[in-house]
Amino acid sequence: MNAESDERQGVAEPVASGSAAGDSASGEPALGSRAPHFIQRSRALHLSWQVGVFIVGLAVVVVGIIMLPLPGPGWLVIFAGMAIWATEFVWAQLVLRWTKRKVTEAAQRALDPRVRKRNLILTTIAVAICVAAVAVYVTKFGLVMPWKITE
């Protein structure tokens, strides 16, 4: 049993070190810390590096959450914070992979001709309803400006 695990570790180590610099066989980068090697060698230095990365990522995510109701690219900033976390934490790397996969799937669905036709029809119907509602309002109440021009 120990021989098998030693063989597996021996096989896994070259793959992990080779895929850390580039892409793995599936085309995605390897999971794990991307800290410089001299930081990874020291446990205390690596732990402090992770704490620093977590705090910086948390600050960026909090700013993104604050930007959601305010003007600004809130979701973009939140994903930037997740990308900062993904440099050090596997869970953030998995979340970003899942998000990329879902965005790619949504883009492919949006390019489907049937979906594009359906979206165009629904948009046309929504615009027609809005135009009809404005026409009913104008005929019932007239075109009144919100400010008083006569004064």
Side-chain angles (χ1 to χ4, degrees), residues 56-129:
V56 169
L58 182 65
V60 172
V61 168
V62 167
V63 167
I65 290 172
I66 291 171
M67 288 172 118
L68 285 176
L70 300 175
W75 284 110
L76 184 66
V77 174
I78 289 173
F79 288 127
M82 290 296 296
I84 291 170
W85 278 339
T87 63
E88 203 54 40
F89 302 108
V90 173
W91 61 267
Q93 293 169 0
L94 294 174
V95 167
L96 282 179
R97 283 185 183 180
W98 179 83
T99 304
K100 284 180 185 178
R101 189 170 53 248
K102 291 299 177 183
V103 167
T104 303
E105 290 172 6
Q108 290 300 321
R109 279 194 311 262
L111 294 176
D112 182 23
R114 292 180 299 164
V115 173
R116 289 180 67 188
K117 184 177 179 181
R118 182 199 65 200
N119 289 345
L120 184 61
I121 291 171
L122 290 175
T123 303
T124 304
I125 291 171
V127 167
I129 289 172

Side-chain angles (χ1 to χ4, degrees), residues 48-63:
S48 60
W49 177 271
Q50 285 182 329
V51 168
V53 167
F54 182 79
I55 290 172
V56 169
L58 182 65
V60 172
V61 168
V62 167
V63 167

Side-chain angles (χ1 to χ4, degrees), residues 22-64:
D23 292 341
S24 63
S26 66
E28 295 180 355
L31 296 176
S33 175
R34 293 191 181 101
H37 186 65
F38 72 93
I39 290 177
Q40 290 181 0
R41 283 187 292 187
S42 170
R43 173 109 173 109
L45 190 57
H46 192 236
L47 185 60
S48 60
W49 177 271
Q50 285 182 329
V51 168
V53 167
F54 182 79
I55 290 172
V56 169
L58 182 65
V60 172
V61 168
V62 167
V63 167

